[in-house]
């Protein structure tokens, strides 16, 4: 096989990897849900603890590896294709480590998380093929003559397409989220009491300067992803932020088998004065626990709920529990115009009511007007 052709393929593969890892990285840092099929497999994998090494998303390491492989391919062009064996060994080592890591993560996702991340599989395929081609190239006698201009054009095209692709997906995901936010005329008339009629759905002092009401599904990957950010703001607000929650379970949707029973269990928890204790546990849990009834029941038991009572009431399809959950959802649709979870409504004195999704809630609450309210003396 012609070494020049192999090097060109390696360059294209590296930039394809930059695109895939770049989209995954942007989605993680932006809190955006990837287009990844009906079962939201990418989000489930991204929310699992295995998706981070040393607190850094695995996608960031992948992005770094692909950028290095792209640089090595370009460097070989400048050095007469291969130049020195050290460049080949570097590429072989990077792609070899990447292939092993991809294989382990893919096995874990399929057998432990039980989710399929199409973007992750694409990255694993790119890295594996890269390693195979490096192994072939390392057996060829080098250097060999090559067309530097053609190779440089391929590298430039790869850089342009990968960055353009990442920007396109980021803009596309942002657009989808923005389009689902309730519009201004509806928000101008909306009051907290229109959404939350039971104070047990609220946590935080009534004197709080800002109230944040979330419509969410306890088995929603995007809700779980944004939870620690909102909770962090709540903890640092010194009593100036009050949080409310309303059920919006996606029951009947693939991958959301525990959404409705989980919401019903949280209603049982509410009757015991443990609504927020259970809800916080659910959102802090990993996606695997939230997606299985055994996991949900285990969390309910941790907060002190009677699992025998829970199972009995679920088997009987307790209408009282179901009615409350469905009424939450009805209000969300008919009164608040909710179309996606999570949807947040921010109420504060002196500022217009704002709606947000997981992609922009943190940005809104850390803007100057809200920072002043959240940092103010709670007693003032």
């Amino acid at each position: 096989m012609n070494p020049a052709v192999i090097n060109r393929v390696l360059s294209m593969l590296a930039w394809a990897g930059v695109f895939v890892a770049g989209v995954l990285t942007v989605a993680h840092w932006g809190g955006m849900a990837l287009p990844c099929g009906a079962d939201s497999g990418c989000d489930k994998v991204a929310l699992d603890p295995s998706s981070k090494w040393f607190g850094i998303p695995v996608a960031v390491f992948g992005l770094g590896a692909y950028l290095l492989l792209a640089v090595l391919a370009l460097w070989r062009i400048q050095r007469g294709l291969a130049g020195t064996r050290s460049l080949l060994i570097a590429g072989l080592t990077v792609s070899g480590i990447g292939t092993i890591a991809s294989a382990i993560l893919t096995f874990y996702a399929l057998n432990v998380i039980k989710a399929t991340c199409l973007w992750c599989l694409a990255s694993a395929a790119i890295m594996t093929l890269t390693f195979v081609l490096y192994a072939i190239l390392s057996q060829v006698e080098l250097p060999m003559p090559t067309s530097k201009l053609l190779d440089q054009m391929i590298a430039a095209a790869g850089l342009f397409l990968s960055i353009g692709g990442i920007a396109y997906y980021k803009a596309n995901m942002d657009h989808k989220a923005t389009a689902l936010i309730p519009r201004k005329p509806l928000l101008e008339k909306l009051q907290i009491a229109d959404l939350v009629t039971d104070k047990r759905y609220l946590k935080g002092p009534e004197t709080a300067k800002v109230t944040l009401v979330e419509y969410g599904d306890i088995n929603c990957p995007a809700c779980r992803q944004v939870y620690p950010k909102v909770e962090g703001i709540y903890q640092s607000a010194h009593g100036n932020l009050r949080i409310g929650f309303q059920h919006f379970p996606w029951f009947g949707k693939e991958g959301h088998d525990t959404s409705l029973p989980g919401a019903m269990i949280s209603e049982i928890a509410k009757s015991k004065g443990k609504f927020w204790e259970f809800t916080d546990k659910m959102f802090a849990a990993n996606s695997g626990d939230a997606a299985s009834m055994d996991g949900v029941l285990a969390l309910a038991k941790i907060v002190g709920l009677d699992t025998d009572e829970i199972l009995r009431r679920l088997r009987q399809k307790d209408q009282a529990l179901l009615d409350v959950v469905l009424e939450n959802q009805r209000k969300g649709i008919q009164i608040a115009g909710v179309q996606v979870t999570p949807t947040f409504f921010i109420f504060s004195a002196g500022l217009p009511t704002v709606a947000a999704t997981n992609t922009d809630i943190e940005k809104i609450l850390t803007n100057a007007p809200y920072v002043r309210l959240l940092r103010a003396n709670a007693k003032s």
Side-chain angles (χ1 to χ4, degrees):
M1 187 178 291
N2 189 327
V5 174
I6 295 176
N7 196 66
R8 288 166 191 154
V9 174
L10 284 171
S11 179
M12 290 186 286
L13 285 172
W15 289 115
V18 168
F19 163 66
V20 172
V23 170
L24 288 169
T25 299
V26 167
H28 176 88
W29 291 121
M32 292 175 278
L34 283 162
C36 193
D39 65 349
S40 302
C42 296
D43 293 324
K44 291 178 183 177
V45 172
L47 291 169
D48 190 85
S50 66
S51 68
K52 288 186 178 181
W53 294 343
F54 312 107
I56 301 172
V58 172
V60 175
F61 291 99
L63 180 59
Y66 285 121
L67 285 171
L68 178 56
L69 290 169
V71 169
L72 289 173
L74 187 60
W75 196 356
R76 282 195 301 276
I77 294 169
Q78 302 303 120
R79 297 287 297 274
L81 187 59
T84 63
R85 285 283 167 182
S86 62
L87 294 179
L88 278 178
I89 293 171
L92 190 65
T93 301
V94 171
S95 59
I97 294 172
T99 298
I100 293 170
S102 295
I104 293 172
L105 291 170
T106 299
F107 178 85
Y108 187 87
L110 295 175
N111 294 278
V112 179
I113 305 174
K114 298 188 183 302
T116 301
C117 172
L118 299 179
W119 291 84
C120 305
L121 290 177
S123 178
I126 292 169
M127 190 62 78
T128 302
L129 182 55
T130 298
F131 175 69
V132 170
L133 291 178
Y134 262 110
I136 294 173
L137 194 59
S138 66
Q139 302 303 311
V140 178
E141 186 176 348
L142 299 169
M144 291 283 288
T146 184
S147 171
K148 285 189 179 181
L149 179 60
L150 175 59
D151 291 336
Q152 289 168 349
M153 289 175 62
I154 290 173
L159 174 62
F160 175 79
L161 291 173
S162 61
I163 293 177
I166 293 168
Y168 168 79
Y169 269 93
K170 181 181 184 302
N172 186 259
M173 288 185 284
D174 279 342
H175 172 73
K176 287 179 180 178
T178 303
L180 294 170
I181 296 176
R183 296 305 173 199
K184 187 176 179 180
L186 183 150
L187 296 175
E188 289 175 345
K189 301 176 182 179
L190 203 59
Q191 302 293 323
I192 298 173
D194 295 330
L195 306 182
V196 184
T197 55
D198 189 326
K199 290 185 178 181
R200 289 175 293 181
Y201 289 124
L202 294 161
K203 70 174 178 178
E206 293 185 19
T207 56
K209 299 179 183 298
V210 180
T211 298
L212 176 69
V213 178
E214 175 185 356
Y215 275 89
D217 178 339
I218 60 174
N219 193 14
C220 161
C223 301
R224 182 165 292 101
Q225 188 174 34
V226 78
Y227 165 82
K229 299 175 183 178
V230 174
E231 185 65 17
I233 294 172
Y234 172 75
Q235 294 295 338
S236 63
H238 306 296
N240 287 309
L241 178 62
R242 199 179 195 196
I243 295 181
F245 184 84
Q246 293 285 272
H247 301 294
F248 204 96
W250 294 103
F251 53 91
K253 184 177 180 180
E254 186 178 355
H256 288 258
D257 298 337
T258 60
S259 295
L260 182 57
M264 294 170 70
I265 292 170
S266 73
E267 285 300 310
I268 296 175
K270 187 181 73 175
S271 69
K272 313 289 185 183
K274 297 177 178 289
F275 176 81
W276 277 105
E277 193 175 348
F278 175 73
T279 302
D280 287 340
K281 281 286 185 186
M282 284 295 297
F283 281 134
N286 64 54
S287 56
D289 287 341
S292 72
M293 277 306 301
D294 287 343
V296 175
L297 289 171
L299 293 171
K301 189 172 183 178
I302 289 173
V303 302
L305 300 181
D306 184 341
T307 54
D308 290 334
E309 177 190 357
I310 290 172
L311 289 171
R312 174 177 55 78
R313 296 182 72 175
L314 290 180
R315 290 192 190 105
Q316 293 174 350
K317 298 181 181 178
D318 192 309
Q319 195 63 43
L321 298 178
L322 186 59
D323 286 347
V324 175
V325 172
L326 295 181
E327 176 63 13
N328 271 206
Q329 190 174 53
R330 183 198 65 78
K331 286 190 301 181
I333 296 171
Q334 297 181 3
I335 298 176
V338 175
Q339 301 180 62
V340 64
T341 56
T343 295
F344 298 93
F345 295 92
I346 309 170
F347 301 90
S348 54
L351 293 174
T353 300
V354 175
T357 67
N358 62 305
T359 63
D360 51 9
I361 181 63
E362 183 181 26
K363 182 178 179 181
I364 290 172
L365 289 178
T366 52
N367 276 346
Y370 290 102
V371 169
R372 284 194 291 270
L373 289 173
L374 296 176
R375 290 182 179 176
N377 187 328
K379 296 180 180 180
S380 64

